[in-house]
Amino acid sequence: MIEPTSPSPPVAADRAAARPPVFDRRRAWLITALIVAFMLINHADKAVLGLAAVPIMDELGISNSTYGMISSSFALLFSLSGLAVGFVSARVSSRVLLFTMAILWAVAQLPALIVASVPALVAGRVLLGAAEGPAASMSMHALYKWFPADRRGLPSALQISGAALAMLVAAPVVTWLITAFGWRSAFVVLAVTSTVWSLVWWRLGHDGPYGQEPAPRPKAVTPDSPSTHAGPERLPYRRLLLSGTVIGSIAAAFGASWALALSHAWLPVYLRTQQGMTPGGAATLISGISALSLVLLLSVPPMADRLRRRGASDLWTSAAPQGVAVAVAGLAMAAFPFVDQPSARVGLLVVAFGGHAVAFPMHYMTTSAVVPAAQRGAVFGIVAAAGTLPSLLAPSLTGHLLDSAASPAAGYTHAFLLTAAVMVVCGLAALVLIRPERDARRLAPAPGAGAVPRAAARA
C-alpha cells in the first residue's frame, strides 16, 4: 500500500508568500506623479491664508494676534487627525483615505466664501487642518506601497517636493489671483483643484504590493531548515517610539516644521510690511526659497540612497543629511535679521526657510527603516502628529510677539531668534540620535522568538 503524501498547496503557498512582489515601474511612477500633485495642492491650501493675509487683515480689520490665532487654528486638529488616521490606515485603503482628504479640502474652502468673517475663517482652517493632518504621512505610506525599500529615496523626495512646487509654482499663481480678482478667487480655484484631483485619484490610485505584506505562513522547523522570517510582524509601539531613530526623526521634523509654519503664516506679511516688497516681489522671493528646497529634495535623498548601497554608515546616510540641514538653516535664521547688506540678507533668508526641506522626506525614510510594514502607517501618523505640532504653536506665538514688542521689527526679530533656537536644538538631536541600523538590531527579536501578538503590539 502506498503511503499518502502530504498535500503540496501549503508548500506552494509558502513559496508564493516568500516571493518578493513584482515592481511595476510604470504604475509606481504614475502614483508618484499623482501624490506629488496631491502634496502641491496640500501646501497651496496651507499657504493661501498667508499669501492673502494683508488684504484679509485690511478688509476685516483684524490684529496680528487675531490673524495668528486664525493661522494656528489650522493645527487645532491637525496632529490628532494625523494620529487617528495613522492607526486607521491598517484597515482602510490608501485610495479611500486620500480621496476623502481631498474632498474635505474642497469643502473647507467654503466657509470663507460664504461669510467673510473671523469665525468663518477659523471654521474653514480647523476643517482644513483636520483633513490635511494625515496628508503627508498617509501619502508617503501610499507611495511606499509601490516601491521596495531600496528605491524609496527619489520617490520620497518627489513627494515632499510638492511643498516646494506649491510655493515655486502656486505662490505666483495664487498671488496673481489675489491681486487681479480678490483673495476669495484663490480659495475658489483651490476648491475646484482639490475636487478634480480626488476624482482622478479615485480612478487610478489603487494600493501597491509593498504595503501591509502578509506574515509568512507557519510551518514546521527542523534543524536543517533555513529561517525565512525576515523580521517581526509587529512590535510594541512603546519600543518603536522610544528608539533613538524615531525620536531623532521627530526632532528633525519638529525643527523643520517650525520654520515651515512660520513661512506659511508670516513670511509673506514680513516681506511686504517690513521689507517693503510688492506682492509680486514677495512671491518671487518665496519661489526662490522653494527652488532651493526643490534642488535639495531632488539631490540629497537620492545621494543618501546611493551611499547606503555602497555601504556608507547611517551617520552619513540618515542622521547627517537631516540633522545638519535643520541646524544650518537655524543658524541662517538667527543671522539674517542682523545683516544689513540686502543680497546677503536675502541669501540667508533663503537658506533659513528653504535649507531644512530635506528633513521631511528623510525623517520618514529613517523611521520606516526600524518599523515593521504592518505598523508603518500608524507610526508615520504618530511621527507626523508630533513633528507638526509647531503648526499650532508658531503662528499664534509670533502674532503675540508682534503685538507685545516695542515695534513690529523687534517682534519679528524675537520670532526669528526663537525659531532659530528650536531648529538648532532639533538638528543636533537628530544628528546624535538617528541610527537606523543600530536601532533595527536592537528592535529585532531574539533568535527563535515569534511575532508579537497584536494585543502586545498596542502596548
Side-chain angles (χ1 to χ4, degrees):
M1 179 181 297
I2 300 174
E3 292 289 336
T5 59
S6 58
S8 60
V11 176
D14 283 344
R15 289 175 179 169
R19 201 173 296 134
V22 176
F23 176 50
D24 186 342
R25 184 184 303 273
R26 181 177 178 182
R27 186 74 172 187
W29 288 109
L30 172 63
I31 295 297
T32 302
L34 287 172
I35 286 178
V36 169
F38 176 82
M39 292 301 295
L40 190 154
I41 299 167
N42 170 273
H43 284 275
D45 284 341
K46 290 178 182 176
V48 66
L49 184 67
L51 294 170
V54 172
I56 289 175
M57 292 170 75
D58 290 342
E59 179 178 327
L60 302 184
I62 59 179
S63 66
N64 290 317
S65 296
T66 301
Y67 168 71
M69 179 272 295
I70 295 170
S71 186
S72 284
S73 68
F74 170 85
L76 189 63
L77 299 177
F78 188 92
S79 296
L80 290 176
S81 66
L83 181 62
V85 174
F87 283 95
V88 170
S89 67
R91 298 175 177 84
V92 180
S93 73
S94 298
R95 180 191 185 208
V96 171
L97 290 176
L98 269 59
F99 171 81
T100 304
M101 286 180 221
I103 288 293
L104 289 176
W105 298 353
V107 174
Q109 310 298 344
L110 299 180
L113 299 175
I114 297 171
V115 181
S117 65
V118 171
L121 287 169
V122 170
R125 299 305 284 183
V126 169
L127 176 58
L128 184 65
E132 291 196 350
S137 56
M138 291 303 99
S139 60
M140 190 72 81
H141 182 47
L143 189 64
Y144 281 10
K145 293 179 180 181
W146 284 97
F147 290 89
D150 62 348
R151 294 174 181 255
R152 290 173 179 166
L154 180 57
S156 298
L158 289 171
Q159 187 259 17
I160 296 298
S161 73
L165 287 171
M167 303 310 290
L168 182 65
V169 177
V173 173
V174 170
T175 300
W176 171 75
L177 287 170
I178 293 168
T179 304
F181 304 104
W183 62 266
R184 292 170 181 80
S185 64
F187 287 76
V188 172
V189 170
L190 289 173
V192 172
T193 304
S194 296
T195 303
V196 171
W197 184 92
S198 66
L199 297 175
V200 175
W201 175 258
W202 187 255
R203 172 80 175 176
L204 301 174
H206 299 282
D207 286 11
Y210 294 97
Q212 306 298 346
E213 295 87 352
R217 291 172 57 93
K219 64 178 182 177
V221 179
T222 68
D224 297 327
S225 301
S227 172
T228 59
H229 187 54
E233 180 191 3
R234 303 179 76 84
L235 287 168
Y237 283 104
R238 184 184 73 262
R239 289 188 64 200
L240 291 172
L241 297 175
L242 292 178
S243 70
T245 293
V246 173
I247 294 173
S249 298
I250 291 173
F254 190 93
S257 293
W258 194 288
L260 186 64
L262 189 67
S263 172
H264 283 159
W266 286 106
L267 183 58
V269 183
Y270 171 77
L271 294 176
R272 292 191 59 184
T273 62
Q274 300 302 305
Q275 299 299 312
M277 292 187 177
T278 64
T284 299
L285 180 54
I286 291 171
S287 294
I289 293 170
S290 302
L292 172 63
S293 297
L294 191 60
V295 169
L296 293 174
L297 286 168
L298 297 180
S299 59
V300 176
M303 180 178 66
D305 265 354
R306 288 194 295 271
L307 290 174
R308 190 176 297 110
R309 286 194 292 266
R310 293 175 182 175
S313 72
D314 53 7
L315 170 63
W316 299 108
T317 61
S318 300
Q322 52 194 306
V324 170
V326 173
V328 168
L331 294 175
M333 184 78 69
F336 84 79
F338 303 101
V339 174
D340 294 327
Q341 212 279 329
S343 60
R345 186 193 308 121
V346 168
L348 287 169
L349 190 147
V350 169
V351 173
F353 286 101
H356 58 75
V358 295
F360 291 113
M362 297 206 68
H363 88 282
Y364 285 115
M365 293 167 63
T366 51
T367 299
S368 68
V370 300
V371 175
Q375 294 170 277
R376 188 172 61 216
V379 175
F380 275 9
I382 296 169
V383 170
T388 54
L389 282 175
S391 298
L392 180 62
L393 302 173
S396 179
L397 184 56
T398 300
H400 286 294
L401 289 173
L402 288 174
D403 283 342
S404 62
S407 66
Y412 277 112
T413 299
H414 296 159
F416 294 143
L417 289 176
L418 174 62
T419 303
V422 171
M423 294 175 72
V424 170
V425 170
C426 289
L428 293 177
L431 188 62
V432 170
L433 293 174
I434 294 175
R435 297 293 186 276
E437 294 176 4
R438 175 201 65 192
D439 289 335
R441 288 193 298 269
R442 290 178 178 177
L443 291 168
V452 176
R454 289 179 181 269
R458 298 190 191 103

